[in-house]
Amino acid sequence: EATGAARLLDYGCGKGQQYEKAYVDPEGHEHASVAAYWGVREVARYDPAWPPFTTLPQGTFDGVVCTDVLEHCPEEDLPWIVDEMFGYAEMFVFANVASYAALRKLANGENAHCTVRPTEWWESLFDQAARRRRGVDWEIWVSRFDEKGEGHVHRTGTDF
C-alpha cells in the first residue's frame, strides 16, 4: 500500500499456495488471496527448488518479496542472489530472514539455516546491492532470539 505496487515477484515462493487460496488478515477479514489482501494485480512466483516455478521470470516488477529463503542459502551465494533480486525490482525489495539456527536439520545432518548472520551483516549485503541498483528502496526484517529465548525482529533499510 505504501509503495503503490501493482506487480510483485515472490522470489523463493516455495509451493506458492498462499496465492491460490483465501487469506484471513490479522483483523479477521477474509480476502480471496494474499495478492488481493495486498491490493496487487499480479504476483509472479519463482523458486529454484519447486518445479512449477523454477523458470526465472522475464522483465521487472514493482517490488520483490523474499521471506524465509535467504537463511537457507549458502553464504557465498548470497551476494549474487541479492543482486538478482534487486535486478528484478523497479521500486523496492523486501526480505525477512531468520538470524538463528533452525529447529529442523537437513537429511545430511546440517542445520536448515546454513547462513546465520547478525543484522548488520544482512544490512551491509542489501546496502551493497542497492548501491548497484540506484532508486530501488529496500527493507529487511531480521528475526533473532535473545539470551532469554525471547524473539525480536529488527527492521532496517531505506524505509520505503
Side-chain angles (χ1 to χ4, degrees), residues 25-70:
D25 68 28
E27 290 81 35
H29 302 108
E30 187 169 328
H31 305 269
S33 66
V34 170
Y37 171 67
W38 287 340
V40 297
R41 185 178 72 243
E42 173 191 354
V43 179
R45 295 177 268 182
Y46 169 67
D47 195 304
W50 189 247
F53 306 119
T54 56
T55 302
L56 281 166
Q58 298 295 309
T60 58
F61 301 84
D62 296 330
V64 175
V65 176
C66 180
T67 61
D68 190 21
V69 173
L70 299 175

Side-chain angles (χ1 to χ4, degrees), residues 3 45 54 56 67 89 91 98 100-101 109 117 138 141 148:
T3 65
R45 295 177 268 182
T54 56
L56 281 166
T67 61
M91 296 166 56
Y100 53 86
R117 303 291 287 181
W138 60 276
W141 294 8
K148 295 179 184 177

Side-chain angles (χ1 to χ4, degrees), residues 24 44 51 54 76 92 107 140:
V24 178
T54 56
E76 61 270 15
F92 70 89
I140 186 167

Side-chain angles (χ1 to χ4, degrees), residues 68 71-72 96-104 111-118 122 142-146 150-153:
D68 190 21
E71 63 271 29
H72 298 277
N96 181 37
V97 298
S99 184
Y100 53 86
L103 296 175
R104 297 184 61 190
N111 195 278
H113 292 174
C114 62
T115 300
V116 176
R117 303 291 287 181
W122 290 104
V142 181
S143 303
R144 63 175 179 79
F145 290 96
D146 64 20
E150 296 176 357
H152 299 274
V153 176

